[in-house]
């Protein structure tokens, strides 16, 4: 496994694989790797001949009052997990390498970024689209893997790849959960035991919505109200959003009649957790 800290070393390692006719799979991450990341890496390993993982806590996707400085950085353990999965290259750049002095180019996806996390975290998806474009240009993968847990991020990347004619196949991988349903996240380690206990409210609320829809409930607004109420009644939890959107357009729906995204963002103190279900009636 190569650990590449420069762009030229990364390109060189991958070039050899590409020239040998290998299919290149890519998994972009911010590190603090867990079983959710591992499943993306394993999918890449199964479907591709050569797997590249990037580990980069991207400053441009964090707001000024967010957790960039304290985001967990666990490179040794990340490296061990990548090696165990059989990753071929870890690209591990510094912020200075990715955004040198004088940097001034950004990628913006305009519509699909407006609701949900785009509304709560201004500039977040501009940072995501920019860094993913840069990473795609460095790695030039055939296939890139993203987690459904970040549903809006998946849609942003798909839109960007289509709009900018990037010759990259995007694969979405389902959310990996803890045994009690909590979606795995690098941020779960911020939770104290009490918060961790109550954090299952995201999953439990999504399951409840799914059951309601299965039982015939089609009123999205009523469900959103009930979702919000469930979060507000949970100790330690503070609602950011509880929304049901059309999965294609990310616009609000009144009556649930096709594929919808049921999405939640909840704060536990400073820790912001997100989760979602895709429900097709
Ligand atoms: P991050 O390091 O949080 O930026 O995540 C890197 C990639 O892993 C993104 O595509 C995430 O959507 C994906 N990911 C994070 N958590 C999970 C999870 N619990 N299940 C599946 N994929 C995940």
């Amino acid at each position: 496994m190569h650990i590449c800290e420069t762009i030229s070393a990364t390109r060189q390692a991958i070039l050899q694989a590409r020239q040998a006719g290998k299919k290149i799979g890519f998994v972009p991450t911010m590190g603090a790797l867990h079983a959710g990341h591992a499943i993306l890496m394993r999918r890449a390993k199964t479907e591709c001949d050569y797997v590249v993982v990037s580990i980069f806590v991207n400053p441009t996707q964090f707001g000024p009052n967010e957790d960039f400085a304290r985001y967990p950085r666990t490179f040794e353990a990340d490296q061990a997990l990548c090696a165990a999965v059989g990753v071929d290259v870890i690209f591990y750049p510094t912020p200075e390498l990715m955004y040198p002095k004088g940097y001034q180019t950004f990628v913006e996806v305009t519509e699909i970024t407006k609701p949900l996390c785009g509304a709560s975290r201004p500039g977040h998806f501009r940072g995501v689209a920019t860094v993913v474009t840069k990473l795609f240009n460095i790695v030039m993968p055939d296939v890139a893997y993203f987690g459904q847990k970040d549903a809006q991020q998946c849609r942003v990347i798909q839109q960007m790849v289509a709009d900018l004619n990037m010759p990259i196949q995007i694969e979405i991988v389902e959310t990996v959960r803890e045994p009690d349903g909590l979606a795995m996240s690098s941020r779960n380690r911020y939770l104290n035991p009490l918060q961790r206990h109550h954090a299952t409210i995201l999953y439990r609320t999504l399951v409840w919505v799914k059951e309601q829809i299965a039982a015939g409930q089609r009123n999205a607004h009523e469900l959103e109200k009930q979702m919000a109420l469930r979060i507000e009644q949970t100790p330690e939890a503070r609602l950011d959003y509880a929304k049901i959107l059309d999965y294609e357009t990310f616009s609000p729906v009144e009556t649930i009649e096709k594929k919808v995204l049921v999405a939640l963002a909840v704060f536990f103190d400073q820790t912001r957790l997100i989760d979602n279900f895709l429900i097709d009636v």
Side-chain angles (χ1 to χ4, degrees):
M1 184 172 75
H2 301 276
I3 295 166
C4 300
E5 299 189 18
T6 67
I7 292 165
S8 57
T10 310
R11 287 204 166 120
Q12 188 57 39
I14 300 168
L15 183 66
Q16 286 176 7
R18 188 174 300 110
Q19 281 173 343
K22 292 186 175 173
K23 184 173 175 182
I24 318 288
F26 178 42
V27 182
T29 81
M30 298 205 299
L33 302 182
H34 51 67
H37 298 109
I39 209 137
L40 270 66
M41 286 152 49
R42 284 200 200 95
R43 254 292 282 285
K45 192 72 195 163
T46 311
E47 296 175 357
C48 303
D49 308 307
Y50 197 82
V51 176
V52 182
V53 170
S54 62
I55 297 179
F56 179 56
V57 185
N58 173 37
T60 63
Q61 71 188 70
F62 288 80
N65 299 315
E66 293 184 350
D67 56 343
F68 174 71
R70 70 175 186 131
Y71 196 84
R73 288 155 171 94
T74 61
F75 187 69
E76 304 256 298
D78 294 350
Q79 196 180 322
L81 180 65
C82 290
V85 174
V87 166
D88 296 285
V89 170
I90 300 178
F91 176 47
Y92 184 47
T94 59
E96 293 72 29
L97 184 72
M98 294 297 273
Y99 301 105
K101 202 163 172 288
Y103 187 89
Q104 50 188 290
T105 306
F106 291 87
V107 179
E108 205 160 331
V109 179
T110 57
E111 295 307 312
I112 221 111
T113 57
K114 281 182 180 155
L116 307 182
C117 294
S120 305
R121 305 181 68 188
H124 170 67
F125 287 118
R126 180 180 188 254
V128 168
T130 300
V131 80
V132 171
T133 299
K134 287 172 66 66
L135 293 168
F136 282 179
N137 284 337
I138 294 163
V139 174
M140 294 198 287
D142 297 292
V143 192
Y145 296 84
F146 292 86
Q148 175 62 31
K149 203 207 87 172
D150 299 278
Q152 192 174 16
Q153 172 169 281
C154 291
R155 291 287 288 111
V156 169
I157 302 300
Q158 288 171 321
Q159 188 72 40
M160 177 184 89
V161 163
D163 287 352
L164 298 182
N165 312 100
M166 295 177 173
I168 298 167
Q169 181 187 332
I170 303 300
E171 291 294 330
I172 310 298
V173 182
E174 75 179 68
T175 304
V176 179
R177 300 177 179 283
E178 300 287 354
D180 63 4
L182 178 67
M184 290 201 181
S185 164
S186 306
R187 291 188 167 97
N188 290 351
R189 68 186 74 198
Y190 298 148
L191 301 170
N192 68 32
L194 187 64
Q195 294 168 337
R196 171 63 188 83
H197 173 75
H198 290 300
T200 57
I201 190 62
L202 283 89
Y203 177 70
R204 287 185 284 119
T205 301
L206 293 170
V207 169
W208 178 83
V209 170
K210 192 176 174 181
E211 288 167 356
Q212 292 296 303
I213 295 174
Q217 173 64 278
R218 293 290 178 271
N219 184 333
H221 186 63
E222 183 55 33
L223 284 172
E224 286 176 345
K225 248 178 31 197
Q226 294 298 326
M227 288 166 76
L229 200 63
R230 284 172 167 256
I231 304 300
E232 280 153 11
Q233 286 170 346
T234 302
E236 305 279 321
R238 182 162 51 87
L239 182 70
D240 181 1
Y241 63 71
K243 295 277 185 208
I244 301 181
L245 301 180
D246 180 302
Y247 182 64
E248 290 310 316
T249 60
F250 273 40
S251 51
V253 291
E254 274 179 28
T255 308
I256 299 168
E257 43 197 8
K258 47 184 181 177
K259 207 176 201 181
V260 289
L261 179 75
V262 185
L264 272 174
V266 179
F267 281 100
F268 289 84
D269 207 355
Q270 299 300 310
T271 306
R272 186 174 172 281
L273 303 182
I274 58 172
D275 201 352
N276 68 84
F277 275 9
L278 250 177
I279 299 177
D280 203 354
V281 292

